[in-house]
Amino acid sequence: MVKDDIKIISKKTGGRVSENKNLRPCIPNSPISGRLIKAARYGTPMIRIGDLSPKIMLIAGVHGNELPPQIAALWLAEELYGTDINGTIYIVPFAIPEATMKNSRRFKGFDMNRSAAVSGSASNKIIITADDLGVVSLADFHSTKPRSNPGIESVFCSKNPCPESFMIAKHITKITSSKVICHNNAGSLYGGAIEDESNLQGTAAVTCEVVSENCEVTPGSPEKSYNQMISYLKYFGIV
């Protein structure tokens, strides 16, 4: 179905993401994006770039109707694939392809960013996969509707039990227009977010948000998400 550098994390989430009429015009017309789009029909696709340490993971599309980071993740895969990088990057451009296809925040009625602690959920499988691969950090990329919560370009993090989460967030905000939103303890606001559950397990994680209308691609928002991704990689010296 796909080459060895693309794996399917969860086989329950498959969808034809190119049927999303607002996403489709932004999908790069290239072999890498084509392979990821095809793989997404069968579940949550993950592409590996590089084979050195450190190993990190970038995730987009946990909320299928948040389109800018999914576009940015494809751009990143296109740019870095086949290049020499100082580490290994696992990119999950469509965490929930069915939700992306339907332009929906939820998957089968559930918010996958409140379900990462639920055994068997797609978001839980992402965390398990990261742990199995020896990933030292992960970043989950989202977009936020204007005048909502948070409604601003931001990086969520926590100081305990994984203080590096806060250090990563500070680094990203130094070279982007993002603002740090930090909690003292992971999971103190709500449970089940990929970022929180990862930090609670000792793997440094952040959640990055850019501003865009739900189900749409606000001009400039994919570029801002892409800049957050590059800033994250620079923290680890990978690019």
Side-chain angles (χ1 to χ4, degrees):
M1 180 174 62
V2 293
K3 296 179 182 178
D4 288 344
D5 54 8
I6 295 180
K7 302 291 186 183
I8 301 299
I9 294 177
S10 172
K11 296 181 179 179
K12 299 179 180 180
T13 59
R16 297 179 180 271
V17 298
S18 59
E19 292 185 8
N20 184 317
K21 65 179 182 179
N22 291 333
L23 178 70
R24 184 169 58 245
C26 303
I27 296 173
N29 183 17
S30 65
I32 297 302
S33 290
R35 289 175 58 208
L36 287 165
I37 296 295
K38 181 178 179 181
R41 300 177 190 175
Y42 304 96
T44 302
M46 178 187 71
I47 186 167
R48 174 183 55 81
I49 300 174
D51 56 7
L52 302 174
S53 294
K55 298 179 180 180
I56 64 171
M57 180 179 286
L58 289 80
I59 306 154
V62 172
H63 293 143
N65 65 340
E66 296 176 1
L67 305 182
Q70 300 180 68
I71 297 164
L74 290 177
W75 290 351
L76 188 70
E78 292 286 350
E79 178 179 350
L80 297 181
Y81 189 84
T83 65
D84 292 328
I85 59 172
N86 300 314
T88 303
I89 308 168
Y90 298 96
I91 301 176
V92 180
F94 312 110
I96 317 292
E98 181 181 307
T100 298
M101 177 180 68
K102 296 179 178 179
N103 226 351
S104 173
R105 178 181 176 86
R106 295 178 176 270
F107 174 58
K108 301 189 183 304
F110 295 95
D111 184 340
M112 287 295 102
N113 210 34
R114 302 292 183 272
S115 306
V118 178
S119 179
S121 73
S123 47
N124 180 255
K125 287 186 176 181
I126 289 173
I127 289 179
I128 291 173
T129 299
D131 185 59
D132 289 345
L133 291 169
V135 163
V136 298
S137 176
L138 63 82
D140 187 16
F141 293 84
H142 290 251
S143 60
T144 177
K145 183 179 178 181
R147 300 170 298 282
S148 66
N149 183 19
I152 60 171
E153 184 180 329
S154 54
V155 185
F156 283 85
C157 63
S158 56
K159 294 182 178 179
N160 296 294
C162 200
E164 191 172 16
S165 170
F166 178 55
M167 295 168 60
I168 294 169
K170 285 202 303 181
H171 175 85
I172 293 172
T173 58
K174 281 182 180 178
I175 50 179
T176 65
S177 53
S178 310
K179 177 183 177 181
V180 171
I181 300 178
C182 188
H183 299 282
N184 282 329
N185 298 302
S188 59
L189 185 61
Y190 48 75
I194 287 178
E195 170 215 332
D196 286 319
E197 296 302 324
S198 180
N199 281 321
L200 288 169
Q201 294 182 19
T203 300
V206 294
T207 299
C208 297
E209 301 260 11
V210 296
V211 180
S212 180
E213 293 289 348
N214 290 344
C215 305
E216 300 178 13
V217 183
T218 297
S221 56
E223 288 83 357
K224 289 182 180 295
S225 187
Y226 174 84
N227 287 339
Q228 289 178 331
M229 293 177 183
I230 291 294
S231 299
Y232 176 64
L233 298 184
K234 285 182 176 179
Y235 174 87
F236 292 95
I238 291 177
V239 298

